[in-house]
Amino acid sequence: DLIGLVSFARYADGLSPLTLDHGNLVAILDQLETPTAAQREEDGTAIGEGLALAVERLRREKTASKIVILLTDGVNNIGDIEPLQAADLAAEYGIKVYTVGAGTTGYAPMPAQMANGGIRLVRGQVEIDEVTLQQIAQRSGGRYFHATNEEGLSDVIAEIDRLERSEVSEIRYLAYEYH
């Protein structure tokens, strides 16, 4: 499948256009960093902004199936676009949104920058807005999932993969040189 990548914290950022190069996407994802306490200007959870950017990237595609997997471990707390507005926009363009709440509500280890520049884990309060995530999925024709660990997330992705299948054709050119 063609896959793109959008990250969001305070701002949504398109990290990769739609591509069949999944290895490159994994490399980009491996380099993604979450903002630390010292990076307050980047901190936040703009779910609506992230979803709206993903919708903008998908809306003109000519594929039979258009989906967004919205993965978050938080609550929308910043941004000009509300998550349900973005969900309505997705539905308008026939884009299903599968939402995934990652982690658990309560206390969890979070990265924090130390004075010497290092990173350490501290206990921080975590809340997942499951109600909004369920509403986003419902409005767009998708489904909500909850994953509490890496294995659970793998299971969720496998389930979404079973639900959404479409054929994509690709033209590849080979250059031959005769010596």
Side-chain angles (χ1 to χ4, degrees), residues 38-120:
Q39 299 167 313
R40 293 240 183 253
E41 71 280 354
E42 293 291 325
D43 201 12
T45 304
I47 293 172
E49 304 283 332
L51 179 54
L53 181 55
V55 168
E56 175 57 28
R57 290 182 162 220
L58 278 173
R59 71 182 178 92
R60 290 192 189 113
E61 287 299 313
K62 305 287 187 223
T63 59
S65 176
K66 299 179 199 179
I67 71 162
V68 169
I69 299 174
L70 191 153
L71 173 66
T72 183
D73 64 353
V75 174
N76 188 75
N77 58 17
I78 200 154
D80 295 328
I81 301 172
E82 291 297 319
L84 297 180
Q85 287 177 297
D88 291 339
L89 192 62
E92 182 180 327
Y93 290 108
I95 299 168
K96 288 183 190 176
V97 182
Y98 291 94
T99 57
V100 183
T104 58
T105 296
Y107 287 95
M110 302 174 81
Q113 190 158 8
M114 299 184 314
N116 67 4
I119 303 280
R120 68 181 177 103

Side-chain angles (χ1 to χ4, degrees), residues 7-171:
S7 70
F8 58 93
R10 178 175 293 264
Y11 307 103
D13 189 18
L15 300 181
S16 171
L18 294 173
T19 181
L20 291 169
D21 186 355
H22 299 174
N24 190 42
L25 283 173
V26 171
I28 291 169
L29 192 56
D30 283 343
Q31 294 175 18
L32 187 63
E33 294 181 10
T34 57
T36 62
Q39 299 167 313
R40 293 240 183 253
E41 71 280 354
E42 293 291 325
D43 201 12
T45 304
I47 293 172
E49 304 283 332
L51 179 54
L53 181 55
V55 168
E56 175 57 28
R57 290 182 162 220
L58 278 173
R59 71 182 178 92
R60 290 192 189 113
E61 287 299 313
K62 305 287 187 223
T63 59
S65 176
K66 299 179 199 179
I67 71 162
V68 169
I69 299 174
L70 191 153
L71 173 66
T72 183
D73 64 353
V75 174
N76 188 75
N77 58 17
I78 200 154
D80 295 328
I81 301 172
E82 291 297 319
L84 297 180
Q85 287 177 297
D88 291 339
L89 192 62
E92 182 180 327
Y93 290 108
I95 299 168
K96 288 183 190 176
V97 182
Y98 291 94
T99 57
V100 183
T104 58
T105 296
Y107 287 95
M110 302 174 81
Q113 190 158 8
M114 299 184 314
N116 67 4
I119 303 280
R120 68 181 177 103
L121 294 177
V122 297
R123 267 176 63 103
Q125 179 67 29
V126 177
E127 182 182 355
I128 301 171
D129 187 353
E130 291 187 283
V131 171
T132 298
L133 294 176
Q134 290 166 353
Q135 290 173 340
I136 291 169
Q138 179 192 27
R139 286 187 183 197
S140 66
R143 276 182 53 192
Y144 170 72
F145 298 90
H146 187 191
T148 57
N149 57 32
E150 189 175 341
E151 181 181 327
L153 184 56
S154 292
D155 292 345
V156 166
I157 298 302
E159 176 66 17
I160 293 170
D161 190 43
R162 281 190 290 279
L163 293 171
E164 295 293 333
R165 302 303 269 166
S166 62
E167 288 200 20
V168 175
S169 60
E170 168 183 42
I171 299 173

